[in-house]
């Protein structure tokens, strides 16, 4: 599961969740194309914390901005 957050051209914060990495990649590309300087893109993926075994949101923005 992925969660993506970015600013749209109107300046509003957009949040979406999806299981499909391709869909998240399309949204990330659109965010960077629509607002190249101020998109504030952030992508997180559900991961398991090694110490506690809890599910956490781990940042994976770099995976979608290369």
């Amino acid at each position: 599961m992925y969660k993506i957050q970015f600013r749209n051209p109107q300046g509003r914060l957009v949040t979406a969740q999806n299981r499909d990495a391709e869909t998240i990649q399309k949204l990330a590309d659109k965010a960077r194309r629509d607002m190249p300087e101020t998109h504030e893109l952030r992508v997180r993926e559900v991961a398991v914390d090694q110490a506690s075994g809890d599910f956490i949101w781990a940042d994976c923005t770099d995976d979608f901005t290369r």
Side-chain angles (χ1 to χ4, degrees):
M1 175 66 75
Y2 296 95
K3 182 191 297 186
I4 184 170
Q5 293 181 310
F6 59 91
R7 295 254 175 226
N8 68 11
Q10 292 78 31
R12 294 186 184 111
L13 184 63
V14 176
T15 302
Q17 288 186 14
N18 200 302
R19 293 187 187 280
D20 182 33
E22 288 182 32
T23 302
I24 297 297
Q25 184 65 60
K26 288 177 186 176
L27 289 170
D29 292 344
K30 182 177 178 359
R32 291 193 342 249
R33 185 175 54 249
D34 289 351
M35 304 232 349
E37 300 298 324
T38 59
H39 52 70
E40 298 179 28
L41 179 65
R42 187 173 201 174
V43 182
R44 295 181 182 147
E45 181 178 17
V46 171
V48 177
D49 181 275
Q50 297 292 356
S52 67
D54 293 338
F55 290 101
I56 60 170
W57 288 105
D59 188 272
C60 63
T61 304
D62 291 342
D63 297 342
F64 292 91
T65 58
R66 294 182 187 167

